Amino acid sequence: MMYFRYAMLSHRWEGEEPLLQDIRDKVVYELDPVGGITKLQSFCKTARDAGYRWAWSDTCCIDKSNNVELQESVNSMFVWYHHSALTVVYLLDVPPSSKSGALAKSAWNTRGWTVQEFLSPKVILFYQKDWTLYLDDRTPNHKESIAIMQELEDVTGIDRRAIVAFCPGMRGAREKLQWASTRVTTLQEDIAYSLSGVPGVRLRVDYGEKK
């Protein structure tokens, strides 16, 4: 049913991002448009304009003060992205009217969590800094865009056929680990947690164990 379909956001965290406590029981569009709130408002509007009533962002849709919820969220992230009707990738550092190659240079491509965020979804759209479509590509699903998928393959080293129709599992585990070997995370533990859905395993989340 269309009513229950949802859009998810893939992005790079920047400075002050809104948390659950910042938006709980509030209307997102009525919040002061500063910092991460502006990005959240634009994402919600993009999802709404695409016909979705529900929008999910990792900044404010997880209660990070609740360890049980945090652990379940880390282990469920891959599945949530996979079942989303649309994943919106926001590229803050890709200016309007950028040419091919800008996606490859984006810092979004350096982050650990974004690997599963572009592998897992069935439908994905890339947006530039001003929330216009990357390369002005009007394809309903950028996984069907040869130009964008080729650029993503070139920068990640992941065959575009795997990007388009990825299947989690332990097969080719060494290669899958290499996909994220050059990526960075804010917390050391997230190097492992950000890959949990790729081989299809569940991990015990402990943000104190370091490496």
Side-chain angles (χ1 to χ4, degrees), residues 11-27:
H11 65 117
R12 183 167 68 102
W13 282 47
E14 298 282 347
E16 293 290 330
E17 296 281 359
L19 303 178
L20 175 64
Q21 292 76 12
D22 298 320
I23 69 163
R24 178 179 279 153
D25 300 323
K26 298 176 183 176
V27 177

Side-chain angles (χ1 to χ4, degrees), residues 67-112:
N67 289 334
V68 175
E69 181 172 333
L70 181 60
Q71 173 155 334
E72 184 60 32
S73 298
V74 168
N75 279 303
S76 301
M77 203 76 70
F78 188 93
V79 174
W80 291 345
Y81 275 99
H82 181 69
H83 289 300
S84 67
L86 168 66
T87 290
V88 170
V89 176
Y90 179 57
L91 308 169
L92 177 65
D93 54 358
V94 174
S97 304
S98 289
K99 304 299 182 182
S100 181
L103 167 60
K105 297 175 183 176
S106 173
W108 175 85
N109 266 311
T110 68
R111 305 302 298 177

Side-chain angles (χ1 to χ4, degrees), residues 25-43:
D25 300 323
K26 298 176 183 176
V27 177
V28 169
Y29 301 112
E30 295 178 357
L31 299 174
D32 290 337
V34 294
I37 293 293
T38 304
K39 175 169 57 178
L40 179 63
Q41 291 171 333
S42 297
F43 164 57

Side-chain angles (χ1 to χ4, degrees), residues 44-210:
C44 289
K45 181 179 184 302
T46 299
R48 184 184 63 190
D49 291 347
Y52 302 107
R53 294 174 178 263
W54 308 97
W56 190 97
S57 171
D58 58 349
T59 60
C60 57
C61 292
I62 300 173
D63 185 355
K64 298 175 181 63
S65 66
N66 184 321
N67 289 334
V68 175
E69 181 172 333
L70 181 60
Q71 173 155 334
E72 184 60 32
S73 298
V74 168
N75 279 303
S76 301
M77 203 76 70
F78 188 93
V79 174
W80 291 345
Y81 275 99
H82 181 69
H83 289 300
S84 67
L86 168 66
T87 290
V88 170
V89 176
Y90 179 57
L91 308 169
L92 177 65
D93 54 358
V94 174
S97 304
S98 289
K99 304 299 182 182
S100 181
L103 167 60
K105 297 175 183 176
S106 173
W108 175 85
N109 266 311
T110 68
R111 305 302 298 177
W113 283 102
T114 58
V115 174
Q116 66 175 358
E117 292 171 9
F118 69 76
L119 286 176
S120 179
K122 297 182 286 293
V123 180
I124 194 168
L125 290 173
F126 291 87
Y127 286 84
Q128 303 170 128
K129 182 176 182 178
D130 64 347
W131 290 91
T132 57
L133 289 165
Y134 179 56
L135 302 183
D136 196 31
D137 191 318
R138 303 288 170 172
T139 308
N141 180 5
H142 282 166
K143 285 200 170 186
E144 298 173 355
S145 169
I146 295 176
I148 294 178
M149 289 299 101
Q150 185 61 57
E151 185 175 352
L152 203 54
E153 176 184 322
D154 292 342
V155 70
T156 63
I158 305 174
D159 188 288
R160 67 174 182 266
R161 290 171 296 183
I163 298 175
V164 171
F166 179 75
C167 293
M170 292 302 294
R171 184 176 182 180
R174 182 183 297 272
E175 180 185 12
K176 291 173 182 176
L177 289 174
Q178 290 177 341
W179 294 345
S181 62
T182 60
R183 292 178 175 253
V184 295
T185 57
T186 302
L187 300 175
Q188 290 182 353
E189 297 91 337
D190 280 336
I191 295 174
Y193 300 155
S194 64
L195 290 174
S196 62
V198 175
V201 299
R202 293 181 65 87
L203 299 176
R204 181 183 63 85
V205 178
D206 180 0
Y207 278 104
E209 61 184 355
K210 302 299 180 184

